[in-house]
Amino acid sequence: MSIINTTIKPFTAQAYHEGKFVSVSDADLKGKWSVVFFYPADFTFVCPTELGDLADVYPQFKELGVECYSVSTDTHFTHKAWHDASDTIKKINYPMIGDPTGTITRNFDVMIEEEGLALRGTFVINPEGEIKVAEIHDLGIGRDAKELLRKVQAAQYVAAHPGEVCPAKWTPGEATLSPSLDLVGKI
């Protein structure tokens, strides 16, 4: 069964955010657009490249009213230690959620049970708490924050413009499509 258009499941967790430990729950994701960005573990190889890339683009997400949350099965204490130790991770300003019990990771169906780690999962959630984008990668395949930003922009556009859809490589300001019988076989 697809996770698309399902409502996020309840959770409460601790996060490291802007020099503090804070509580984050499913309620914090509702009322605004959110990105939940799962990765396997702190102090690894591909993960800091992804989280650093997301940190570089984070101001653009904020301009769109989007909050980003990174999640791994590490603790919030480990997130702080990584933040303090790595120049790449130091630039992160979004909440880094610890999920040592794996509850959130299982809620989004990205847990590697044998390892207790998350797959690389990316989820875009609308203000109603519904998952609009779900993308899951094998551990060796890194993600691109600019492409994620484009997908968020497309999801927001489609939500604000019923009856229109965004074609491949669509970016804000470009033409959209209005699905109809007249378009079948003509694109």
Side-chain angles (χ1 to χ4, degrees):
M1 182 173 142
S2 176
I3 197 167
I4 295 294
N5 293 321
T6 63
T7 301
I8 57 172
K9 295 177 183 175
F11 72 87
T12 300
Q14 290 296 303
Y16 180 69
H17 185 222
E18 298 180 334
K20 299 176 189 163
F21 294 131
V22 298
S23 182
V24 177
S25 74
D26 55 296
D28 293 308
L29 278 65
K30 294 181 181 171
K32 64 181 175 293
W33 286 86
S34 301
V35 168
V36 181
F37 197 85
F38 289 89
Y39 64 99
D42 294 358
F43 296 100
T44 56
F45 314 104
V46 176
C47 299
T49 67
E50 292 183 311
L51 285 126
D53 185 40
L54 186 60
D56 292 341
V57 181
Y58 182 61
Q60 293 172 269
F61 283 98
K62 291 299 281 184
E63 287 173 14
L64 295 173
V66 178
E67 185 56 82
C68 298
Y69 302 87
S70 64
V71 183
S72 78
T73 55
D74 295 298
T75 67
H76 56 293
F77 299 113
T78 307
H79 293 334
K80 181 194 182 311
W82 195 25
H83 194 274
D84 292 348
S86 167
D87 288 338
T88 299
I89 302 306
K90 255 182 203 138
K91 61 186 178 177
I92 292 175
N93 292 317
Y94 49 82
M96 300 176 72
I97 299 174
D99 185 29
T101 65
T103 300
I104 307 165
T105 306
R106 285 183 187 92
N107 284 354
F108 284 84
D109 201 25
V110 292
M111 177 64 90
I112 305 168
E113 291 295 341
E114 313 77 57
E115 298 179 39
L117 302 174
L119 290 165
R120 296 187 193 290
T122 310
F123 301 88
V124 175
I125 301 161
N126 73 8
E128 291 75 35
E130 299 167 337
I131 298 169
K132 293 298 175 181
V133 173
E135 187 172 56
I136 301 171
H137 290 230
D138 186 48
L139 299 185
I141 303 168
R143 294 162 282 183
D144 183 321
K146 287 183 181 170
E147 173 58 12
L148 175 58
L149 180 66
R150 188 196 72 78
K151 290 176 184 178
V152 169
Q153 291 167 325
Q156 288 181 333
Y157 185 91
V158 168
H161 299 88
E164 292 184 49
V165 295
C166 298
K169 298 185 181 183
W170 174 90
T171 57
E174 291 184 354
T176 59
L177 301 171
S178 297
S180 71
L181 189 58
D182 296 338
L183 287 181
V184 175
K186 297 195 173 127
I187 296 176

